[in-house]
Amino acid sequence: MSDASKKGIEELTVNTIRTLAMDAVQKANSGHPGAPMGLAPAAYVVWHNHLRHNPKNPDWHDRDRFILSNGHASMLLYAMLHLTGYEQMTLEQIENFRQWDSATPGHPENFETEGVEMTTGPLGQGFATAVGMALSEAQLNERFDGVVDHFTYVFCSDGDLMEGISHEAASLAGHLGLGKLVYIFDDNSITIDGGTDLTFTEDVQKRFEAYGWHVQTVEDGNDLDAIDEAVEAAKQVTDKPSIIALRTVIGYGSPNKAGKSSSHGSPLGDDEIAATKAALGWEYDEPFFVPEEVQAHMSAAVDRGHQLESEWADRLEKYAEEAPEKYAELTRRLAGKLPEGWDADLPTFEPDAKGMATRKSSGAVVKELYAKLPEFTGGSADLAGSNKTLFEEFGIMSPGHFDAQNIHFGVREHAMFAIANGMTLHGGTRGFGATFLIFSDYMRPALRLAALMQTPSIGVFTHDSIGLGEDGPTHQPIEHLASLRAMPNMTVLRPADANEVRECWQVAIENTTGPSSLALTRQSVPTLDREALGSVGDATKGAYILADSDADEPEVILMASGSEVAVCLDAYKKLTDEGVAARVVSMPSWEVFEAQDDAWKEQVLPKSVTKRVAVEAAATFGWERYTGWDGHVHGLDRFGKSAPAGEVFEKLGFTGDNIAELAKGLL
Amino acid sequence: MSDASKKGIEELTVNTIRTLAMDAVQKANSGHPGAPMGLAPAAYVVWHNHLRHNPKNPDWHDRDRFILSNGHASMLLYAMLHLTGYEQMTLEQIENFRQWDSATPGHPENFETEGVEMTTGPLGQGFATAVGMALSEAQLNERFDGVVDHFTYVFCSDGDLMEGISHEAASLAGHLGLGKLVYIFDDNSITIDGGTDLTFTEDVQKRFEAYGWHVQTVEDGNDLDAIDEAVEAAKQVTDKPSIIALRTVIGYGSPNKAGKSSSHGSPLGDDEIAATKAALGWEYDEPFFVPEEVQAHMSAAVDRGHQLESEWADRLEKYAEEAPEKYAELTRRLAGKLPEGWDADLPTFEPDAKGMATRKSSGAVVKELYAKLPEFTGGSADLAGSNKTLFEEFGIMSPGHFDAQNIHFGVREHAMFAIANGMTLHGGTRGFGATFLIFSDYMRPALRLAALMQTPSIGVFTHDSIGLGEDGPTHQPIEHLASLRAMPNMTVLRPADANEVRECWQVAIENTTGPSSLALTRQSVPTLDREALGSVGDATKGAYILADSDADEPEVILMASGSEVAVCLDAYKKLTDEGVAARVVSMPSWEVFEAQDDAWKEQVLPKSVTKRVAVEAAATFGWERYTGWDGHVHGLDRFGKSAPAGEVFEKLGFTGDNIAELAKGLL
């Protein structure tokens, strides 16, 4: 191809991306045309010249990952998917932008659209999650002798860079020297409220240098060659993540709205679209038009993708011969399958009145998970010793050393869980993050995104109540269990003792359609003697009968989760001594219980028994579902208190005596 | 005093701080000795040489603010309060460190302890909240001709600097050039998990330069003169916030634990304390010992404080003569009093079937609040146009211009609310922050801290449901109302129409003991004709009878908040037409309703009426409190969907027809 015709087809392709974005937003009468128009040249360069992917198999494991962190620019991504030949992404889908059940929702959704690696829109999430994808790649690359070997590309906006999570993730990525990350910062000097001079005047380049990144600036967002060279240079730097500050013009081409906030989040309007198309030299009247030569030019991605995946398949085949065990592990992990008998050797715990903290029994389980599941990878936000998640024998990730399962995240909870999501989304790695339950608040947007994306990352949340004692109300969670339970597709697990801990971990590991949150005690709890108590069921049922009277039907049901189960058991003994027919229901997980059949639910909580006391050292909020109007919830609709744990428990009424009294008060 | 005796008393004082910290943690058998020991010299320099405060009046308005962002170092603060003569902070209190109802909780709590400006412990919060204090000072300073004129000092740790919120706040403080902020970074190279080289290797100085800060490094954390000079230099730079990276040794003086994580979060042990005291040349056997000369040296703060406050009182008196109106405004604001008749001219809205979005009616109210309450100060995280909070006629804060009520926070939700807290805590300013309800997740730790601190900052959360339409599930809140309602001391207000908006704002403004969150629609809702409907009560009651049948008692109660109230009214009309005696209860605030007397609660929701349908386009979680087992909750225990709002509402069953059917199903 001559230089002139190359330039011609490139420009035409870039303008096709722009016009598709304009037209789709206009037809939907809703959306964000400005960023796709400004970023179209960069998207063209990355997708045409660099991105290794296979449109006919969006799930090809060794593809490069492309993350649009500024998810509001979704039409940019949909246009690229369409032009490079993703089958689901027809022109009709683009015409149905932002309509019910289309593959083109307002923000990219990985569970709706093939080729979308993750859901983006909440700013900063894509930026941080991509770090997890690169970590997973680095881990697999090192462990499997370079068989997994790809880049992760990220487009991001000034909004992403203002969010705290981007700072956390950037600092950690710089520390670890994740060289296969290539970020393009859409430096368009425009925010929704106006110019970035209103509020965002930091020296972005210097900031990223301070984080240890490789930093480049490209002054003209339309200079395809300069963008291409910068991306190439970024790929060459393999010991630092790279960011390219690309000066773009939002709404490029629009005579009246380019460079203005007005092109950000609203349709340009029919007249302005016409004027823009004229200014861009676009010769086609029909909306949603893809010139034939553009289609031909871009659909080369299909053959190229086929070729790339074939080469990888060959490589994999060779690997099967060279290293059959590693090959088996790799393919199992990439398929997301658990190994046979993975849970056969999980620790069981003998009854013990003294017992141990559930964080401690969790530690014993975690150690075995590390051993049996090499994909199990994560760590703590600088509380590893407290969270009981660090086992150095399984390796600690550090710059240049990624074949390891432990990560020191630093005090960066929000980035931690986004990174866990990225690892899990990547495949081959199962990400988890640990901190105190109270600090789940710091990572809440990433927890929610996992739930929305159906990504089974795991949160390990210790110090789960006032039972942590002296650190006081800033560290004592109250509303956190309710807040997590209220989140769709989040499974909350709060085991009562060491054996429930094992069972809850089993539930969490086997949950492949959403995140799980484990709430664990700081303080010791007895290891229950379920055999002696005649328990029916176990924690894998969500709720079960831990102890029961001999009567046909109990007069009162005591139900609790976690450390309050032992308190209820105390109350049960007192009530039994006094001739009250009581039942104790241990209820580690509402979500798991709700998923059981009606017969089980009725067996555990018979509707006819309306005298019920729910006990949880947490907000009462929500428990009325199980206690109804005739029952009582003993919880905490107040903040905690700094004092030794035992004293706090007693002063706030979490004692067998008090619960027994409350139960009798109902009869 | 000779140089030698000056050095002597300084060293003795510094060691007194250290030994108090060691002894208190040891006696409590819980706490963090390391940071106080490392930071004792810096605390001495700031508190003795610089801090303008009055121990006998901790609430003196023009005091310098001191924020211990690394709140786990609480013993440092308690030691300073004791030594400088705060009456509540007796030695007995220090001996009761971390005990029930002591003034010395594990982390500093502003509501427990005089002289503690804010609650700290969750890392990064103090760092960011201090920016709000400085903003309030800057606003008052400029508006009131320099009468308010003080510095804000912050101690922070590497943990604070790893948290994303510190990046957000630092970037904004640098942008605004808040020159009266002086931060000391406890650069001790130690985190809980080990050395900072595990995870935190960014170039902190360069990073802060990138944010536009004045940056200094002091190499020896025990060099009192160097620290003093650096603080003095920081105070001289008035157009940039300052940070001093102070190289300290955690657990300084401890022969076996200094410089190690082991000194961070556990008692040193009796033997190590003895060894440390020996190493420090400490001659006293008795624990909790304050040498007389130290007491004499430090209690000079009392006279100095009296002098400082007297001078300020004189200045204020002069100001009363010079500028009586401004004086009146200043003293009213500092006293935290609302002006007479502040709400007399709040807009009222005529009934209108078409109506308007509640964010829009909120905008009309906000405009009037700006006008009547010059202390009302805040803004949006780059969604001002959508949140309807920007009114340029009341000024926009910018570098060097702070006599303004609007702030562009940038896409920094977390720092935004912490800054709002700082402004409110400072006094004279009432802070608010605005964003979409979904992004309340990004600021949740700051919302919680407001609730814990009893700080009445206000969150303005628009786009409060699937009713926002096309932006889809990443932007459609589901569990957020439940999550906020579950938080102790948070008042959630979700008005149904324009007049409820006014009433909810009244509640929020008059709430002085905790934060309020307003949830507002993107889409239009009818302005209800409460007179024609014969409504009983209004939104200031939390819940009230919007419409009722003529029957003595309704057969069914429909209850809802926000945009679903109009849906219930539709259902009510259908039910009425079919001869069903229905009542509609509008329920903008659970917390406000719960605070009413029992008579009102029984009048609105008579216990005898058990057929109830609650309707909210949000998680059903928690509504069983009001519907019991005989009622039904129509909500969303799933994520939303990208499509036009009307279609999403209809497809998910938020229509009068569907609600009427659900109600009939109960009868």
Side-chain angles (χ1 to χ4, degrees), chain B residues 340-629:
Chain B
E340 289 276 317
W342 68 275
D343 56 354
D345 301 324
L346 289 176
T348 56
F349 302 86
E350 290 303 308
D352 175 10
K354 197 168 153 259
M356 66 176 88
T358 54
R359 64 180 170 135
K360 204 175 159 192
S361 41
S362 171
V365 174
V366 164
K367 188 177 175 183
E368 173 67 10
L369 293 174
Y370 274 126
K372 286 287 165 62
L373 304 176
E375 62 268 42
F376 186 74
T377 306
S380 165
D382 197 35
L383 291 168
S386 297
N387 301 145
K388 309 290 180 200
T389 49
L390 182 67
F391 292 91
E392 301 195 14
E393 58 269 44
F394 301 100
I396 299 177
M397 289 205 187
S398 62
H401 174 54
F402 299 104
D403 181 12
Q405 288 171 263
N406 292 272
I407 301 170
H408 283 297
F409 285 104
V411 190
R412 304 180 180 105
E413 297 85 1
H414 200 176
M416 171 171 72
F417 210 77
I419 289 170
N421 287 342
M423 293 193 293
T424 306
L425 282 164
H426 181 277
T429 310
R430 182 79 180 269
F432 78 90
T435 183
F436 291 165
L437 179 57
I438 192 95
F439 300 133
S440 62
D441 275 354
Y442 275 78
M443 56 167 78
R444 210 167 152 82
L447 287 164
R448 183 179 210 261
L449 210 59
L452 176 58
M453 295 191 296
Q454 304 166 8
T455 303
S457 310
I458 298 172
V460 180
F461 299 130
T462 70
H463 296 59
D464 72 347
S465 79
I466 50 168
L468 64 84
E470 291 91 342
D471 273 346
T474 54
H475 284 56
Q476 293 165 347
I478 298 289
E479 69 279 23
H480 300 75
L481 293 171
S483 301
L484 290 168
R485 286 174 184 145
M487 189 182 283
N489 200 31
M490 168 61 76
T491 300
V492 182
L493 300 149
R494 188 170 185 247
D497 82 337
N499 288 304
E500 282 197 14
V501 165
R502 179 190 63 250
E503 291 154 4
C504 286
W505 266 110
Q506 284 174 303
V507 171
I509 293 290
E510 286 176 348
N511 177 5
T512 57
T513 57
S516 302
S517 291
L518 285 127
L520 303 167
T521 66
R522 175 191 186 215
Q523 75 278 20
S524 289
V525 291
T527 305
L528 305 168
D529 191 344
R530 295 194 290 201
E531 209 180 308
L533 290 166
S535 303
V536 181
D538 63 23
T540 62
K541 294 276 200 183
Y544 65 99
I545 303 166
L546 179 67
D548 208 358
S549 81
D550 296 332
D552 282 347
E553 190 167 78
E555 292 169 77
V556 62
I557 296 175
L558 311 176
M559 57 183 111
S561 78
S563 45
E564 289 72 70
V565 171
V567 176
C568 284
L569 211 52
D570 267 0
Y572 162 84
K573 285 172 192 158
K574 285 176 214 297
L575 290 167
T576 305
D577 287 349
E578 297 180 31
V580 177
R583 169 183 291 187
V584 179
V585 171
S586 179
M587 205 158 180
S589 176
W590 295 18
E591 298 83 8
V592 175
F593 180 61
E594 297 288 348
Q596 305 303 311
D597 60 27
D598 287 344
W600 179 255
K601 289 191 246 186
E602 177 61 21
Q603 187 181 344
V604 175
L605 295 177
K607 283 205 185 65
S608 54
V609 184
T610 61
K611 310 297 181 190
R612 302 174 173 194
V613 182
V615 186
E616 197 165 57
T620 61
F621 198 91
W623 273 104
E624 290 92 346
R625 174 175 300 175
Y626 299 112
T627 56
W629 288 353

Side-chain angles (χ1 to χ4, degrees), chain A residues 55-69:
Chain A
K56 296 301 170 205
N57 180 14
D59 296 328
W60 171 40
H61 290 299
D62 202 39
R63 69 193 181 277
D64 289 337
R65 304 308 197 261
F66 176 84
I67 306 300
L68 185 71
S69 189

Side-chain angles (χ1 to χ4, degrees), chain A residues 537-576:
Chain A
D538 63 23
T540 63
K541 295 277 201 183
Y544 66 98
I545 303 167
L546 179 68
D548 208 358
S549 80
D550 298 331
D552 283 347
E553 189 167 77
E555 292 169 79
V556 64
I557 297 175
L558 311 176
M559 57 184 112
S561 78
S563 45
E564 288 71 71
V565 171
V567 176
C568 285
L569 211 52
D570 267 3
Y572 162 84
K573 285 172 193 160
K574 286 175 214 297
L575 290 168
T576 303

Side-chain angles (χ1 to χ4, degrees), chain A residues 236-478:
Chain A
Q236 296 304 323
V237 176
T238 56
D239 61 346
K240 289 178 175 187
S242 287
I243 189 165
I244 300 162
L246 180 66
R247 303 230 196 273
T248 62
V249 176
I250 191 169
Y252 181 86
S254 162
N256 298 300
K257 297 192 174 178
K260 296 183 186 159
S261 301
S262 55
S263 71
H264 167 78
S266 313
L268 297 180
D270 286 326
D271 291 349
E272 189 64 15
I273 287 179
T276 305
K277 287 183 176 175
L280 292 171
W282 184 258
E283 294 168 353
Y284 314 96
D285 289 336
E286 201 185 328
F288 300 101
F289 188 78
V290 179
E292 248 173 65
E293 56 269 48
V294 169
Q295 197 140 15
H297 178 62
M298 291 302 285
S299 65
V302 172
D303 285 348
R304 195 162 153 266
H306 177 76
Q307 174 75 15
L308 289 168
E309 183 165 351
S310 300
E311 285 167 15
W312 192 69
D314 292 347
R315 200 166 164 193
L316 208 58
E317 207 172 310
K318 223 184 286 171
Y319 197 58
E321 286 165 29
E322 290 164 16
E325 277 182 34
K326 279 192 177 177
Y327 168 83
E329 180 189 327
L330 173 63
T331 49
R332 178 189 67 73
R333 287 170 63 173
L334 291 177
K337 288 199 178 131
L338 293 167
E340 288 277 319
W342 68 274
D343 56 352
D345 301 324
L346 289 176
T348 57
F349 302 86
E350 291 302 307
D352 176 8
K354 196 169 155 261
M356 66 176 90
T358 56
R359 63 178 170 137
K360 205 173 157 194
S361 42
S362 171
V365 174
V366 163
K367 188 177 176 185
E368 172 66 11
L369 293 174
Y370 275 126
K372 286 287 167 63
L373 304 176
E375 62 268 42
F376 186 74
T377 306
S380 165
D382 198 36
L383 292 167
S386 298
N387 302 144
K388 308 291 180 199
T389 48
L390 182 68
F391 293 91
E392 301 195 12
E393 57 269 43
F394 302 100
I396 298 177
M397 289 205 188
S398 62
H401 174 53
F402 299 103
D403 182 12
Q405 289 170 262
N406 291 272
I407 302 170
H408 283 296
F409 285 105
V411 191
R412 303 180 180 106
E413 297 86 3
H414 199 176
M416 171 172 71
F417 210 78
I419 289 169
N421 287 341
M423 292 192 295
T424 307
L425 282 164
H426 181 276
T429 310
R430 184 79 181 268
F432 78 90
T435 183
F436 291 166
L437 179 57
I438 192 95
F439 300 133
S440 63
D441 274 355
Y442 274 78
M443 57 169 76
R444 211 169 151 81
L447 287 165
R448 183 178 210 262
L449 209 58
L452 176 58
M453 295 191 297
Q454 303 166 10
T455 303
S457 310
I458 298 173
V460 180
F461 300 130
T462 70
H463 296 59
D464 72 347
S465 80
I466 49 167
L468 64 85
E470 292 92 342
D471 272 347
T474 55
H475 284 56
Q476 293 165 347
I478 298 289

Side-chain angles (χ1 to χ4, degrees), chain A residues 101 164 168 171 202 442 641, chain B residues 101 123 164 168 171 202 641:
Chain A
D101 263 350
E168 294 179 7
S171 177
E202 63 182 44
Y442 274 78
K641 197 89 178 160
Chain B
D101 263 350
L123 290 169
E168 295 179 6
S171 178
E202 63 181 44
K641 197 88 178 161

